[in-house]
Amino acid sequence: LQGLGKRVICYIDAGTWESYRPDADRYPPRILGKRVDGWPDERWVDIRKLDVLKPIIRDRVDRCARKGFDGVEYDWADNYAHDTGFAITRSDQLRFDRWLAWIAHDRGLSVGLKNSGGLVGPLLNHFDFAVTEECFQYHECGLYRPFLDAGRAVFDVEYHLTRNEFCDRAA
């Protein structure tokens, strides 16, 4: 893909634990929270436990860099907005997300903010692009306008709407 001029993005689950990942055993039970609704093999993690999470995520990002990816898309970077089982604050989330951006940039990777519309303002200068899921369906696309105004890409995925329900508005 890169030979065709395309950029290749590495997916990393940052705010949850997934039982089927090769590094799942590195997550101590004390940082695992409630199950993620709709994902039976996934649990929220206590993102305040940076001493535990940093080495795990650092290794994941390093793997992406070694494999030659151009960027990183972190999933579940909005734990503060969910019922995780932990008292995670917006400030906790901002600290975690800024570190996520820093570790990607430190490895020469671009970094995308995913599904975190409520944090766009304070994180805009730390992230290079945004990824949204169903922003047209849930009427949340406007939250990501600052990325467009800054000349940065916003990628949206719609799972349930037909193209004619959002394409004209997406343009």
Side-chain angles (χ1 to χ4, degrees), residues 38-49:
W39 304 97
D41 295 325
E42 197 165 351
R43 291 174 62 183
W44 295 103
V45 296
D46 189 348
I47 61 164
R48 300 168 302 174
K49 304 299 183 193

Side-chain angles (χ1 to χ4, degrees), residues 46-62:
D46 189 348
I47 61 164
R48 300 168 302 174
K49 304 299 183 193
L50 290 176
D51 59 322
V52 176
L53 290 174
K54 279 184 176 183
I56 298 168
I57 293 172
R58 186 180 298 120
D59 288 349
R60 288 179 173 188
V61 174
D62 286 345

Side-chain angles (χ1 to χ4, degrees), residues 15-17 29-37 42-48 76-89 92-93:
T16 65
W17 167 88
R30 67 182 165 82
I31 71 161
L32 301 182
K34 292 182 175 182
R35 294 200 183 282
V36 178
D37 287 340
E42 197 165 351
R43 291 174 62 183
W44 295 103
V45 296
D46 189 348
I47 61 164
R48 300 168 302 174
W76 296 119
D78 62 346
N79 297 42
Y80 82 106
H82 298 279
D83 183 13
T84 63
F86 302 110
I88 296 170
T89 66
D92 295 328
Q93 190 70 57

Side-chain angles (χ1 to χ4, degrees), residues 120 124 130 141-142 144-155 169-171:
V120 168
L124 180 64
C141 297
Y144 299 90
R145 184 75 205 183
F147 274 93
L148 298 175
D149 292 342
R152 299 182 193 158
V154 176
F155 302 97
R169 291 182 291 159

